[in-house]
Amino acid sequence: MTDRILTVRMEAHPTDSHTMARYEATGGYAALRKALAMKPEDIVAEVKASNLRGRGGAGFPTGVKWGFLAPTRPRYLVINADESEPGTFKDRQLLERDPHQLLEGIIISSFAIDAHHAFVFVRGEYPRSARRLQQAVEEARAAGYLGRGILGTGFDLDVTVHLGAGAYICGEETAALNSLEGRRGEPRIKPPFPAVAGLYAKPTIVNNVETIANIPWIVMNGGAAYNAIGPEGSRGTRLLSLSGHVANPGNYEIVMGMSWRDLIFGIGGGIPNGKALKCWIPGGASAPWFTPDLLDTPVTLDDIAKNGSMAGSGAVVVMDETTNVVAAAWSIVRFFSHESCGQCTPCREGTTWLQRILERILAGQGRPSDVDLLLDVCDNISPGLRWPPAQTTICPLGPSAVSPITSIMKHFRDEVVAMIPGAVTAGV
Amino acid sequence: MTWPDTTLARARDIIARYPEPRSAVMPLLYVAMRHDGRLTDEGMRQVAALTGMTAVQVESVASFYSMYKRHVGSHVVSVCTSISCHLLGGRDVLAAVSDATGVPAGETSADGSVTIESVECIGACGGAPAVQVDYELIEGVTPDKGAELCRWLMTAHPEVVHGDDLQTRFGGRRSFPAGPPDPVGAMGPYPAFGPLGTTGGEA
């Protein structure tokens, strides 16, 4: 049974896994040759059959998304490499260590959806990733895998590597499209969805790096083989970024279905310095936090959702017993406040208020009413404080700032109250 | 003053990579920073002329993104304080860097050599705490090493900074094995990327 797809080459060939020579020597671009002999709709059918779900955060089925494309031309493929969700660093490894794997996925995917220009939106803080990918693009062009009449077929494709400039919000797909059009990276109201009116108002597919890096394997081995890996709803492998108070931080390609205990204490090596686990974030800064009572639940997209959070971007951030959870929540809220694009009042003003209230609590100047005030501000950003969140905003950034607040109020309310002079610890 | 012919040729090559000229505004803003060392009104006017935008439209785009900087030193030192770095001492690194340089976060040293900033997640959480110099990454940075890094920047005035070199001298644990060293480095407070003409020479 296959248990790793994306990280095999970089582990076996640590010095040159990023080069065309090594990629071809290890079977690279064979999937492209196979794909170019297929009908595009048959490739889409294989991706649908694989049950591959997007790795950027939303977990939407990739083949289904491709099926939503409006029939008009031209069409575009945009690869979201604006990896910025705090705790996430998996796409950087895929870009730096195996860029041809992504590029082959891009070429196959473009052929499948009849796109002739693909863009890779790489965050500006990842110049090495952009350099490695650009080198791969140039190698592929020289080898006839890109450009006009690819491998003697009638298929033409250009790939443009686009560097962002420091804006988390450009990881939201319509903000990325605005940014690529040379505008401020402000999310658009949906609908229309990008598959209908995306880049330059043309039908556009936006997919994450890890999602598309899986495409060559799916084409080589078939959608059914991919769908045989991992539990239902979480097919294939998944690259998780493990960080925080854990002995062995890093990216780990796993088959989902193991327990959180096996992930954090097995693969992660447990909590350093003999400390106990306090809580962890299961899927990036936007996700509600988990506590040790969930250690024996499975790590799958559906189980994480059932338990009130999300697998998100695959970022697992571990906090030990010494963690000041108010300070940790403040760090996350400050992030969202800084990254709010400012279009929607509840997000722009609300995240700023949340940050300032937490700052005065941390400074020992909290007011007894601040607990209710925090929740009230959250309720105005995300009415009902439920999960998955409702939103009063164009995009989910605002509601993401609510997750750390509701998490500390649910699990550590007494710790919050204890930091506020004059507040009464909640007795029942 | 307009850009020299070589820079204009590079700008036209960048514009040709996109279906519409306006899409080149972001890469061209980096080219403008490379030309002037920072973002200037004249640079934005040049970008506007090349993309068919007005100068105000260009400024509207530039002001949205944190990496286009009007006021910046020869090098920008970015200390991450987002959640994973926060948990592992990123704020201590920031304090040490500010102490060593005498420069509070968000400001530039009097000699113009370094700008110090606190930044949000730079995707180096497995090697937290992390720092970037001109967007070249250093992971596993201690407060002492961060201070030493800044003192070196302010005295050596390197023309090119190489991430792998900085990692060896001032870093520790990395998020993942990095593979072979990258031959090029950064030349100033903007990302080093070949098509932009912003990469510095071989290590």
Side-chain angles (χ1 to χ4, degrees):
Chain A
M1 173 65 104
T2 300
D3 60 0
R4 287 194 305 143
I5 292 172
L6 302 174
T7 57
V8 176
R9 187 175 298 99
M10 64 181 76
E11 280 205 14
H13 305 284
T15 59
D16 64 355
S17 61
H18 62 291
T19 63
M20 169 68 87
R22 177 59 68 192
Y23 193 68
E24 287 186 316
T26 49
Y29 290 108
L32 175 62
R33 290 174 200 279
K34 182 177 176 182
L36 290 175
M38 295 169 70
K39 288 185 194 147
E41 57 267 34
D42 291 342
I43 301 172
V44 176
E46 289 297 326
V47 174
K48 278 184 180 159
S50 75
N51 280 314
L52 172 67
R53 291 172 68 172
R55 304 296 201 245
F60 195 82
T62 305
V64 176
K65 187 191 264 190
W66 290 6
F68 289 156
L69 274 167
T72 52
R73 305 288 193 279
R75 291 167 166 180
Y76 295 108
L77 175 67
V78 174
I79 303 302
N80 189 340
D82 191 49
E83 177 173 73
S84 311
E85 178 80 13
T88 317
F89 49 100
K90 66 186 178 71
D91 293 339
R92 185 163 67 86
Q93 184 162 355
L94 294 173
L95 289 160
E96 291 183 9
R97 303 299 309 284
D98 206 340
H100 282 285
Q101 178 173 250
L102 170 64
L103 192 54
E104 186 177 15
I106 291 171
I107 304 167
I108 294 169
S109 303
S110 297
F111 178 70
I113 65 170
D114 196 25
H116 299 279
H117 200 155
F119 300 84
V120 187
F121 191 113
V122 182
R123 66 178 302 195
E125 297 89 340
Y126 280 9
R128 183 195 294 245
S129 301
R131 295 196 290 266
R132 284 267 164 86
L133 184 61
Q134 183 67 31
Q135 186 189 346
V137 165
E138 284 161 18
E139 286 175 333
R141 191 173 287 130
Y145 298 127
L146 277 178
R148 299 189 69 80
I150 292 171
L151 296 178
T153 67
F155 179 57
D156 306 334
L157 179 67
D158 268 336
V159 173
T160 299
V161 180
H162 180 89
L163 211 53
Y168 164 79
I169 192 57
C170 291
E172 197 281 334
E173 59 180 3
T174 59
L177 297 177
N178 273 339
S179 191
L180 268 173
E181 289 182 7
R183 304 175 195 281
R184 294 163 71 85
E186 292 165 344
R188 303 173 181 172
I189 292 171
K190 296 190 274 193
F193 288 89
V196 174
L199 188 62
Y200 314 116
K202 304 299 184 195
T204 303
I205 291 296
V206 185
N207 280 139
N208 168 262
V209 167
E210 183 186 348
T211 309
I212 294 303
N214 276 293
I215 297 297
W217 194 96
I218 290 171
V219 166
M220 274 317 279
N221 298 278
Y226 193 87
N227 191 45
I229 304 168
E232 188 178 358
S234 301
R235 299 300 199 200
T237 65
R238 178 94 192 195
L239 201 48
L240 297 184
S241 300
L242 199 52
S243 70
H245 296 140
V246 65
N248 306 320
N251 288 319
Y252 297 97
E253 185 177 11
I254 65 158
V255 175
M256 295 192 105
M258 67 173 59
S259 70
W260 285 104
R261 188 182 302 281
D262 287 343
L263 179 68
I264 295 170
F265 290 91
I267 291 174
I271 317 301
N273 308 316
K275 299 286 192 288
L277 172 66
K278 186 168 193 172
C279 55
W280 71 96
I281 311 176
S286 305
W289 304 3
F290 278 178
T291 44
D293 52 299
L294 292 173
L295 268 176
D296 294 308
T297 61
V299 182
T300 72
L301 270 66
D302 295 338
D303 285 285
I304 296 170
K306 196 175 73 189
N307 290 317
S309 190
M310 64 172 176
S313 58
V316 179
V317 182
V318 179
M319 301 184 224
D320 74 15
E321 60 184 320
T322 68
T323 304
N324 178 337
V325 290
V326 178
W330 164 73
S331 169
I332 295 173
V333 166
R334 187 203 62 217
F335 171 84
F336 289 114
S337 172
H338 183 264
E339 301 299 338
S340 173
C341 82
Q343 283 190 109
C344 308
T345 308
C347 173
R348 181 188 65 242
E349 303 300 319
T351 55
T352 306
W353 271 81
L354 294 176
Q355 178 187 345
R356 289 182 181 173
I357 297 165
L358 290 172
E359 278 169 3
R360 77 181 174 211
I361 293 174
L362 286 166
Q365 295 165 345
R367 303 168 190 170
S369 56
D370 278 351
V371 169
D372 289 340
L373 183 56
L374 282 169
L375 291 171
D376 183 51
V377 173
C378 288
D379 189 61
N380 277 284
I381 301 172
S382 182
L385 305 181
R386 62 176 192 264
W387 189 265
Q391 61 191 52
T392 53
T393 48
I394 291 171
C395 89
L397 188 146
S400 297
V402 170
S403 292
I405 304 288
T406 51
S407 294
I408 61 172
M409 289 306 178
K410 179 178 174 190
H411 303 295
F412 308 106
R413 190 180 181 110
D414 286 356
E415 285 185 41
V416 181
V417 169
M419 294 179 73
I420 300 174
V424 179
T425 306
V428 178
Chain B
M1 196 180 104
T2 58
W3 291 349
D5 288 346
T6 50
T7 308
L8 287 171
R10 180 176 296 284
R12 293 195 182 99
D13 175 64
I14 290 169
I15 291 168
R17 292 166 185 258
Y18 296 92
E20 297 185 8
R22 180 171 180 147
S23 284
V25 62
M26 290 180 65
L28 292 185
L29 283 167
Y30 285 132
V31 174
M33 286 186 72
R34 163 80 182 100
H35 183 261
D36 294 327
R38 62 191 182 88
L39 187 65
T40 66
D41 288 339
E42 179 53 37
M44 286 189 278
R45 276 196 289 274
Q46 183 75 62
V47 172
L50 286 162
T51 54
M53 299 163 74
T54 68
V56 169
Q57 284 176 313
V58 172
E59 185 168 4
S60 153
V61 174
S63 64
F64 186 84
Y65 301 93
S66 60
M67 289 168 66
Y68 302 125
K69 297 180 191 300
R70 281 176 169 277
H71 305 285
V72 66
S74 303
H75 301 284
V76 58
V77 177
S78 311
V79 181
C80 181
T81 56
S82 280
I83 184 66
S84 303
C85 288
H86 165 91
L87 292 171
L88 292 167
R91 300 196 64 76
D92 297 334
V93 176
L94 180 63
V97 159
S98 281
D99 276 357
T101 55
V103 180
E107 296 188 23
T108 300
S109 60
D111 68 354
S113 60
V114 293
T115 294
I116 306 297
E117 59 177 14
S118 166
V119 294
E120 301 296 353
C121 190
I122 51 178
C125 325
V131 171
Q132 288 186 329
V133 177
D134 300 339
Y135 307 102
E136 295 296 301
L137 179 62
I138 320 162
E139 299 181 273
V141 181
T142 62
D144 286 349
K145 284 290 184 183
E148 193 183 326
L149 160 69
C150 288
R151 284 192 289 268
W152 172 76
L153 277 177
M154 293 180 79
T155 51
H157 301 293
E159 277 189 30
V160 178
V161 295
H162 290 273
D164 295 295
D165 173 47
L166 298 181
Q167 176 70 37
T168 304
R169 294 170 62 188
F170 305 109
R173 182 202 283 268
R174 305 181 94 148
S175 292
F176 51 83
D182 195 326
V184 301
M187 308 170 74
Y190 33 78
F193 182 47
L196 305 176
T198 52
T199 53
E202 306 271 323

